[in-house]
Amino acid sequence: MSSDGDASIRTQRAVCFSCAQQCGVLVGVEDGRVTSIAGDRDHPVSAGFVCSKGMAAHELHNSSSRVHVPLKRVGPRGSGEWQETTWDEALKEIATTISDLAGSFGPETLAYSYGTLHGSDSGIGERFMHLFDSPNAVGQDKVCYGPNALGESLTYGFGPTFYTTPTPGKTRCMVIWGLRPSASMPLLWREIVRARREGAKLIVIDPERTHEAESADLWLQSRPGTDVALALSLIHGVIEGGYHDAEFVEEHAVGFDELRERARAYPPERGAEISGVSEPDLLAAAQMIATHGPTLIHGGNGLCQSGVAAVQAGRALACLIAITGNIGVEGAHALLGPPRDVLANGEALEAGALSNLQREKRLGADSFPVIGRGYNALEEAMSRGWHGNRHIPSWLATAHEPTLWQAITQERPYGVKALIIQGHNAVGACANAAAAVEALSSENLELLVVHDLFMNPTSRLADYVLPAAHWLEKPFFSAGVGYLGIAGDYVEAAPAPIPAEYEHRSDYELWRDLGRRLGQEDQWPDTAEEFWDSLVTPAGLNFDTLCDHAGPCTNESARLASDSTDTRPAFATPSGKIELHSSLLESWGIDPLPSYEVPAIFDAATDAYPLVLTTGGRKIEGFHQNAQLMARFRDKYPHPLVRMHPQTALEAGVKDGEWIRVETPVGAVRQQAQLTDALPERVVQADRWWYPERADDAADPFGFASTNINFCTENAEGSCDPVMGTWLLRGLPCRVVAEA
Ligand code: SF4
């Protein structure tokens, strides 16, 4: 921290949390207000980099739309009639209602749903839920890297290796698949560009001609939802071309012959026909991946949001990485386990406090094995591979959001009567938004609490809206990528740039204060910093010393001396080998080899819905839904756009700039047409929810019902991934209709 001599002006070292890239920043503070954010050149990873949304984080923090005080509903649900209350009063009433409901219906009647990472304490409510003995914490893992991580975990144990960045001078080939890092992971993109300068090849697999595709040596323009078929054809090309690493496979893998047989069903001509990629390009990619390594393959949310195919896509990529010997080689994929001597993942969240009986009641456990009966076997394999650390995969086994809506409205498999939503505009983000609106408006739901920065279409339906602290008002802590040790053996910390303003409170403070009212008096240290101290104590560290260290405290400095009697298996799978043929999937009655499936929603839709819809593309100016409140974002993108090829528009009678209807078998919304030849014919790409400024529109608050594309996406079980329940946000049948 520095000052220019005027005590009211200072510069604070911090870590940006406007997305999940963890860039070191210098926050300028004048008279207690944040006035500037710049890159920190001394940060060993980001080294001065800051993107436009990081620099504008204080615009969001200072937004006039922030909720500043606790609000209690006084009119009918959704009427927008509130009275101000105090945190003390609100928490007293909330705790009483929860206690009464749990007494009548069991602790599982309380659910907790949280959105994407929005601070170091994102998702900390899981800890409260475990201690409360409710299994129903609902995360977004199923549509945000969870399927890739699970695919890798099933294949060669934890993972996830896709966080590996290129090694300068070593990485010689990179594949970006369903990912636009220039917009969503700019630090990774910077490293990719550097590796390109040093001669590495770049293959991009994406339906759209993105900036990345234009920069690539080879661009495979695939159709949405066909990734597993394409991957199997690449595997076929590698094996039948004799390019696989036979020695590595022989020594480390099981199931090679079965994988080879499966891939034989996807010769290049079939892969090309399904995916739309030309056969020569497909074969050239297979050869380049296998022979121009070390190779890194980065799969993105384009794969993770593909519903029924999501985990199999992660599996297929993991198999491709494995048979080409691109694991544990400098420049290729590293097995980035959780930090060894820090309490991370489920251990930090007290996952062990949840009884097995209650775990079996987790919403979705009956349908999706990782949520239910399969979790313990996965957990056992991973803990053997990672120093006995427990509950590493707990973040991949949260409750299932579509089943939550069903539990509220239909009381199946039992009733959920109380719900706390944190940092998550659920009805804007979830598939089949109508189901969420019905659930959150239901009289069955006796308590809905929302803790957020802003009023939005979800908080509008709440009984209590509690004002959240922005990351600039919170301390930073990270045990590896993903904050609670998802990957990477390092820890990092920084103090809060400014104290919380108004009545804003952090996620940690909400759960601490609610926990202390509900029997968890001894479980919550006074501050988040003290809580994080308790996680790093086993490594001989504390929060303050970490703050003195600019940037991540890595490897040897973040761990105790290595144990010379280490007898861990090489790979954290049941066999201790890379499982190309997954023994866990087989034991769960699921195809143990990567398999290509089409979501059930296509069964009855082919003729009436001749196009394919993809949603949720990222723009550098924003991070998920908060972007819509940033002036620089909305100046550039005033309205939600549905983009398509000019020929597709011509056939549908649609003109550039017109407002049109986008329709799927699930629902219909209006967006503004934009024609572009960057997309292939018959593929339509639509934006998400858009209008936070229209809060007072009585007919359609927030413009939400008319424009939110998630009224068109799908959450029915036949389209969800059979392993973890991923819902379908990309690759749906659709049509576009010009308005009269
Ligand atoms: S990429 Fe941008 S928004 Fe993300 S952490 Fe870095 S500066 Fe912040």
Side-chain angles (χ1 to χ4, degrees), residues 16 18-19 21-23 49-51 53-54 186:
C16 177
S18 290
C19 85
Q21 289 273 277
Q22 299 186 207
C23 297
F49 176 82
V50 64
C51 77
K53 67 179 165 288

Short mmCIF file of all heavy atoms in Angstrom, two decimals, residues 16 18-19 21-23 49-51 53-54 186, ligand 1:
data_model
loop_
_atom_site.label_atom_id
_atom_site.label_comp_id
_atom_site.label_asym_id
_atom_site.label_seq_id
_atom_site.Cartn_x
_atom_site.Cartn_y
_atom_site.Cartn_z
N CYS A 16 -8.09 -8.59 -8.69
CA CYS A 16 -9.38 -8.30 -9.33
C CYS A 16 -10.28 -9.53 -9.30
O CYS A 16 -9.82 -10.65 -9.53
CB CYS A 16 -9.14 -7.86 -10.77
SG CYS A 16 -10.66 -7.56 -11.70
N SER A 18 -13.44 -9.25 -11.01
CA SER A 18 -14.51 -8.98 -11.97
C SER A 18 -14.66 -10.14 -12.95
O SER A 18 -15.56 -10.14 -13.79
CB SER A 18 -14.25 -7.67 -12.71
OG SER A 18 -14.43 -6.59 -11.82
N CYS A 19 -13.72 -11.07 -12.92
CA CYS A 19 -13.91 -12.39 -13.52
C CYS A 19 -12.98 -13.31 -12.75
O CYS A 19 -12.43 -12.92 -11.72
CB CYS A 19 -13.66 -12.39 -15.03
SG CYS A 19 -11.94 -12.59 -15.54
N GLN A 21 -10.01 -14.60 -13.47
CA GLN A 21 -8.61 -14.73 -13.92
C GLN A 21 -7.57 -14.34 -12.87
O GLN A 21 -6.39 -14.56 -13.03
CB GLN A 21 -8.41 -13.89 -15.19
CG GLN A 21 -9.10 -14.50 -16.41
CD GLN A 21 -8.23 -15.51 -17.12
OE1 GLN A 21 -7.39 -15.16 -17.93
NE2 GLN A 21 -8.42 -16.77 -16.80
N GLN A 22 -8.00 -13.68 -11.79
CA GLN A 22 -7.12 -13.36 -10.67
C GLN A 22 -5.95 -12.45 -11.04
O GLN A 22 -4.80 -12.73 -10.71
CB GLN A 22 -6.60 -14.64 -10.01
CG GLN A 22 -7.69 -15.53 -9.45
CD GLN A 22 -7.17 -16.73 -8.67
OE1 GLN A 22 -7.82 -17.75 -8.58
NE2 GLN A 22 -6.02 -16.62 -8.08
N CYS A 23 -6.23 -11.36 -11.75
CA CYS A 23 -5.16 -10.41 -12.09
C CYS A 23 -4.83 -9.53 -10.89
O CYS A 23 -5.73 -9.02 -10.22
CB CYS A 23 -5.62 -9.49 -13.23
SG CYS A 23 -5.96 -10.36 -14.76
N PHE A 49 -1.08 -6.74 -16.39
CA PHE A 49 -2.24 -6.84 -17.27
C PHE A 49 -3.51 -6.47 -16.52
O PHE A 49 -3.71 -6.86 -15.37
CB PHE A 49 -2.38 -8.26 -17.82
CG PHE A 49 -3.62 -8.44 -18.65
CD1 PHE A 49 -3.63 -8.06 -19.98
CD2 PHE A 49 -4.79 -8.95 -18.09
CE1 PHE A 49 -4.79 -8.20 -20.75
CE2 PHE A 49 -5.94 -9.10 -18.85
CZ PHE A 49 -5.94 -8.71 -20.18
N VAL A 50 -4.37 -5.72 -17.16
CA VAL A 50 -5.73 -5.49 -16.65
C VAL A 50 -6.62 -5.27 -17.87
O VAL A 50 -6.20 -4.65 -18.84
CB VAL A 50 -5.79 -4.29 -15.67
CG1 VAL A 50 -5.42 -2.99 -16.37
CG2 VAL A 50 -7.15 -4.15 -15.00
N CYS A 51 -7.81 -5.84 -17.86
CA CYS A 51 -8.70 -5.69 -19.02
C CYS A 51 -9.70 -4.55 -18.76
O CYS A 51 -9.75 -3.99 -17.67
CB CYS A 51 -9.42 -7.00 -19.32
SG CYS A 51 -10.79 -7.33 -18.21
N LYS A 53 -12.92 -4.48 -18.32
CA LYS A 53 -13.91 -4.61 -17.23
C LYS A 53 -13.26 -4.58 -15.86
O LYS A 53 -13.87 -4.14 -14.89
CB LYS A 53 -14.80 -5.83 -17.40
CG LYS A 53 -14.17 -7.17 -17.26
CD LYS A 53 -15.21 -8.26 -17.42
CE LYS A 53 -14.56 -9.60 -17.65
NZ LYS A 53 -13.95 -9.72 -18.99
N GLY A 54 -12.01 -5.03 -15.78
CA GLY A 54 -11.29 -4.90 -14.52
C GLY A 54 -11.07 -3.44 -14.17
O GLY A 54 -11.28 -3.01 -13.03
N PRO A 186 -8.72 -13.58 -20.69
CA PRO A 186 -7.71 -12.82 -21.41
C PRO A 186 -6.27 -13.11 -20.99
O PRO A 186 -5.36 -12.98 -21.81
CB PRO A 186 -8.09 -11.36 -21.15
CG PRO A 186 -9.09 -11.36 -20.08
CD PRO A 186 -9.72 -12.71 -20.03
S1 SF4 B 1 -9.19 -10.53 -16.86
FE1 SF4 B 1 -9.99 -8.49 -16.42
S2 SF4 B 1 -11.82 -8.78 -15.16
FE2 SF4 B 1 -10.68 -10.70 -15.17
S3 SF4 B 1 -9.42 -10.61 -13.31
FE3 SF4 B 1 -8.17 -9.82 -15.02
S4 SF4 B 1 -8.51 -7.59 -14.99
FE4 SF4 B 1 -10.12 -8.53 -13.75
#
